[in-house]
Amino acid sequence: MDHLPVFLDIKGQQVLVVGGGCGAAARKARLLVKAGACVTVVCPYSTPDSELLSMAAGGAVELHLRAFVPDDVKGRAVVISAIGSVQGAECDDVVVSNVAKNVGVPVNVVDGPGLSTFIMPAIVERDAVTVAISSGGTAPVLARSLRAKIERMLPANLGRLARFADSFRAAVQATHREPVARRRFWERFFDGPVAEAVLNGDERWARERMLEAVNRPQEIQSSDGIVYLVGAGPGDSDLLTMRALRLLEQADVIVHDRLVAPEVLDYARRDAERVYVGKAKGAHARTQDQINALLVELAASGQRVVRLKGGDPFVFGRGGEEREYLIRHGMRVEVVPGITAASGCAAATGIPLTHRECAQSAVLVTGHGKDGEPDLDWNALANQKQTIAVYMGASMAGSISQRLIRHGMDPATPAAVIANGTRPDQRIETGALHQLETLTARCSDAPLLLVVGDVVRHADAWTGSQTGQAVAG
């Protein structure tokens, strides 16, 4: 370890920034102000950075447009030099570094680790929670890349969770006197439903449950169980929401569908139980009634259950039915939306669902109703100025195209069939509406989305398609 990681309390202390001919000095000054320091900026340039001028005008920093002098370092808690190699400065970073070192003041030189006695890490901030990432000054771009990855992992309300936990520290210490017992209590808390409720904004319920856990630790009820109806997106695991990813890492049980990609399940906790309840035409692992009963049983036993569905649970995912059933049986349930197939697959193939020139609306329909063929308003669907995205329409493709044509849609209307959308083995077939059944047959044995409308002309595959060129002509 080349540097000792330390967090300095500089609230109310005098710090110095030297520079101001580029954005580096302003960025450092902004960070120091946020940490509560009294910031003085000495700018040895004739034209200072506009952000520094704005900060000075607002009273955030004290700005001096002059050359650096050694006395500037006196009484400072920290010195940062951001002069760099910009022309026009009357001194350089080496001078500032030497002066600070000679009087024992910690100094950081931007992009100059050899001149610095401390380094500035890349920072992820969540209110009271701060994560610092450093490469020891050897690869700052790498540190920033790591910061971006951590930013995506940490929930936005993490600081709120830290403050919530802090409000119970004394109570937990009083009721759990042994250090090991306290540690285990907090481990269960941060990995449990109370913490998740705080992150989700339900602090009232969380406070009630926390009081029970603190005062009656042996009487925690099975109501701690909860079901999360989570959208897994259209296939690509990178399209998971951050909340979905976090819940997968915390779940006790994952109840998943056929359309959930294996790469998505790889994000789950290794010891989580996985229950497959996938349904395909004529082959159901479990009926919907059995799935509903299973979710209630698991939640009632106090487990955290992720009901993982392809796409979005509320878009042809029967999430509404499952939510109603769970609530009716007294279970806690939350919905975590996902990217639905229409959005994900269209984006992956270059098809805009709406377009000012050819589609003022987009309609999502299912190719299967409760008792077979869906009861759709075919007259409304045949409107040429909209996009139709058909879910679960493979076996009904011929009937769908015939009905649309019968109700007035041009048989030459562009159409696309997207198989395994957003995945590495994605495939798209483009052509005309009257060819929809043939296009679908080329993509058998794969999850399909059918798209009908002039927007298909914008697909990446359209221009190079001989069928597409013939239809377009």
Side-chain angles (χ1 to χ4, degrees), residues 249-266:
E249 293 169 343
Q250 298 173 351
D252 300 312
V253 184
I254 298 169
V255 180
H256 62 97
D257 283 347
R258 179 177 65 95
L259 296 180
V260 175
E263 295 78 12
V264 172
L265 291 171
D266 287 342

Side-chain angles (χ1 to χ4, degrees), residues 163-218:
R163 296 189 185 281
F164 179 92
D166 183 58
S167 70
F168 282 93
R169 282 184 65 188
V172 172
Q173 190 165 2
T175 56
H176 298 70
R177 297 186 179 279
E178 293 295 325
V180 173
R182 284 201 300 274
R183 186 179 71 248
R184 288 178 177 169
F185 175 90
W186 286 118
E187 287 173 350
R188 289 194 302 271
F189 164 75
F190 284 114
D191 197 35
V194 177
E196 182 61 33
V198 176
L199 292 173
N200 198 35
D202 191 0
E203 198 163 321
R204 179 178 177 181
W205 181 90
R207 195 163 291 278
E208 292 173 356
R209 297 297 296 140
M210 191 66 168
L211 288 171
E212 290 181 23
V214 171
N215 296 320
R216 298 190 298 278
Q218 305 304 321

Side-chain angles (χ1 to χ4, degrees), residues 8-28:
L8 294 177
D9 182 2
I10 58 173
K11 291 184 181 66
Q13 298 199 52
Q14 299 290 327
V15 301
L16 174 69
V17 176
V18 183
C22 60
R27 289 194 297 272
K28 301 303 181 184

Side-chain angles (χ1 to χ4, degrees), residues 225-229 252-257 273-278 285-308 322 325-326 329 331-332:
I226 185 171
V227 176
Y228 299 97
L229 302 178
D252 300 312
V253 184
I254 298 169
V255 180
H256 62 97
D257 283 347
E273 180 184 358
R274 301 182 184 186
V275 181
Y276 175 71
V277 294
R286 300 192 189 215
T287 66
Q288 187 62 50
D289 288 342
Q290 290 173 331
I291 294 172
N292 293 345
L294 173 66
L295 295 176
V296 169
E297 178 187 344
L298 293 171
S301 67
Q303 301 195 74
R304 285 168 295 177
V305 183
V306 166
R307 173 67 172 107
L308 195 59
E322 292 176 359
Y325 188 91
L326 288 160
H329 286 78
M331 299 297 110
R332 291 185 67 223

Side-chain angles (χ1 to χ4, degrees), residues 1-326:
M1 184 168 62
D2 294 330
H3 295 81
L4 178 68
V6 174
F7 288 84
L8 294 177
D9 182 2
I10 58 173
K11 291 184 181 66
Q13 298 199 52
Q14 299 290 327
V15 301
L16 174 69
V17 176
V18 183
C22 60
R27 289 194 297 272
K28 301 303 181 184
R30 191 190 324 127
L31 189 63
L32 293 166
V33 169
K34 195 170 186 179
C38 300
V39 182
T40 298
V41 180
V42 172
C43 178
Y45 299 100
S46 57
T47 305
D49 181 86
S50 60
E51 185 178 359
L52 277 179
L53 290 173
S54 177
M55 293 173 70
V61 302
E62 181 181 328
L63 178 61
H64 298 278
L65 303 179
R66 58 170 175 76
F68 166 82
V69 295
D71 282 351
D72 287 328
V73 172
K74 290 182 179 179
R76 307 294 180 180
V78 168
V79 171
I80 294 180
S81 184
I83 299 172
S85 59
V86 179
Q87 298 296 320
E90 296 182 27
C91 69
D92 60 21
D93 291 319
V94 175
V95 174
V96 178
S97 174
N98 289 337
V99 171
K101 289 177 180 178
N102 287 339
V103 295
V105 176
V107 58
N108 170 263
V109 175
V110 175
D111 292 332
L115 298 174
S116 304
T117 59
F118 74 96
I119 57 178
M120 295 286 284
I123 293 173
V124 178
E125 185 184 6
R126 293 292 188 272
D127 194 9
V129 177
T130 304
V131 180
I133 307 104
S134 171
S135 65
T138 60
V141 174
L142 173 61
R144 289 196 292 271
S145 176
L146 292 173
R147 178 186 64 187
K149 290 180 172 63
I150 295 173
E151 283 273 15
R152 292 193 293 269
M153 292 172 58
L154 299 182
N157 288 334
L158 193 61
R160 177 189 293 179
L161 178 60
R163 296 189 185 281
F164 179 92
D166 183 58
S167 70
F168 282 93
R169 282 184 65 188
V172 172
Q173 190 165 2
T175 56
H176 298 70
R177 297 186 179 279
E178 293 295 325
V180 173
R182 284 201 300 274
R183 186 179 71 248
R184 288 178 177 169
F185 175 90
W186 286 118
E187 287 173 350
R188 289 194 302 271
F189 164 75
F190 284 114
D191 197 35
V194 177
E196 182 61 33
V198 176
L199 292 173
N200 198 35
D202 191 0
E203 198 163 321
R204 179 178 177 181
W205 181 90
R207 195 163 291 278
E208 292 173 356
R209 297 297 296 140
M210 191 66 168
L211 288 171
E212 290 181 23
V214 171
N215 296 320
R216 298 190 298 278
Q218 305 304 321
E219 301 178 18
I220 300 300
Q221 303 298 315
S222 62
S223 60
D224 276 350
I226 185 171
V227 176
Y228 299 97
L229 302 178
V230 177
D236 185 350
S237 59
D238 284 346
L239 296 179
L240 274 174
T241 65
M242 294 313 302
R243 185 146 187 260
L245 179 60
R246 188 173 76 249
L247 291 174
L248 280 171
E249 293 169 343
Q250 298 173 351
D252 300 312
V253 184
I254 298 169
V255 180
H256 62 97
D257 283 347
R258 179 177 65 95
L259 296 180
V260 175
E263 295 78 12
V264 172
L265 291 171
D266 287 342
Y267 286 117
R269 237 173 58 186
R270 290 187 181 274
D271 58 341
E273 180 184 358
R274 301 182 184 186
V275 181
Y276 175 71
V277 294
K279 289 178 284 187
K281 187 177 181 181
H284 291 191
R286 300 192 189 215
T287 66
Q288 187 62 50
D289 288 342
Q290 290 173 331
I291 294 172
N292 293 345
L294 173 66
L295 295 176
V296 169
E297 178 187 344
L298 293 171
S301 67
Q303 301 195 74
R304 285 168 295 177
V305 183
V306 166
R307 173 67 172 107
L308 195 59
K309 297 171 173 288
D312 182 278
F314 272 15
V315 181
F316 305 123
R318 304 193 73 170
E321 299 171 41
E322 292 176 359
R323 179 178 181 274
E324 291 171 2
Y325 188 91
L326 288 160

